[in-house]
Amino acid sequence: MRNLFAILLLCVLMLVGCSKTPDYVISENAMVELLSDLYKAEAMMEDDNSKYNSDSSKLVLRQSVFLKHNVDQEKFDTSLIWYAHNLDVYGKVNEDVIEKLEKEKIVATEHLIEKAKDLSLSRKKYANQFEEAVKKELAELSMKGSGF
């Protein structure tokens, strides 16, 4: 019975010890989400330099990302230091970030294509309506001019 208890205890300790990140570090999944949002924020800053031309506006955007993820700069920095010492884990996190952003890009592109198709159909519809209205107006003017 003692051996069974010792084996169970060992199994539990091994399972608990299998977590790759310590408690004080942002978990891998949470880090993927956080880094994805930070990279998108960086892209926004580069894309709209007039809006994010000051350090304070950039800081506000970064802080809003941290706030969304319930993380502060200190925990982020501490986590980056831990990941820097565990490059195999950090490499996997970055691979997951790239995969996530690529999937989001595909979804966004598909959405834009659908919106463009809808807009194109709307333009064709309004162009046809406009053409019909012009033809009708020309026909009425033609009838007035001919004395009918």
Side-chain angles (χ1 to χ4, degrees):
M1 188 67 168
R2 281 183 137 189
N3 287 339
L4 180 61
F5 178 73
I7 291 172
L8 286 174
L9 181 62
L10 183 61
C11 288
V12 168
L13 289 175
M14 288 176 64
L15 288 174
V16 171
C18 286
S19 175
K20 291 183 181 177
T21 56
D23 290 341
Y24 64 90
V25 172
I26 300 168
S27 72
E28 293 172 56
N29 290 337
M31 191 62 133
V32 168
E33 297 299 319
L34 175 59
L35 287 175
S36 296
D37 285 347
L38 281 173
Y39 292 154
K40 287 187 272 187
E42 292 290 331
M44 286 174 54
M45 287 185 260
E46 287 180 25
D47 190 47
D48 194 354
N49 198 15
S50 62
K51 185 175 181 179
Y52 299 102
N53 60 356
S54 69
D55 289 340
S56 62
S57 61
K58 292 175 184 177
L59 180 64
V60 167
L61 182 58
R62 285 180 60 86
Q63 292 300 326
S64 68
V65 173
F66 288 147
L67 185 63
K68 174 184 174 187
H69 294 276
N70 297 315
V71 172
D72 59 15
Q73 186 71 52
E74 182 181 351
K75 182 157 187 166
F76 180 67
D77 292 343
T78 300
S79 296
L80 283 181
I81 291 169
W82 184 89
Y83 280 105
H85 289 95
N86 296 275
L87 291 177
D88 56 328
V89 180
Y90 190 58
K92 175 71 171 103
V93 166
N94 276 310
E95 288 172 13
D96 292 348
V97 168
I98 291 167
E99 184 179 325
K100 177 179 173 34
L101 291 174
E102 286 175 348
K103 285 179 182 177
E104 288 179 5
K105 181 181 177 182
I106 290 168
V107 169
T109 301
E110 290 171 349
H111 180 72
L112 287 174
I113 290 169
E114 286 301 313
K115 287 290 186 186
K117 286 179 183 176
D118 291 346
L119 182 59
S120 178
L121 290 174
S122 295
R123 284 184 179 168
K124 286 179 185 176
K125 176 183 168 186
Y126 292 122
N128 289 339
Q129 289 175 349
F130 178 75
E131 184 180 348
E132 291 298 319
V134 169
K135 285 181 183 177
K136 182 178 177 184
E137 188 68 31
L138 287 174
E140 288 176 7
L141 287 173
S142 175
M143 289 178 71
K144 286 182 183 178
S146 63
F148 292 106

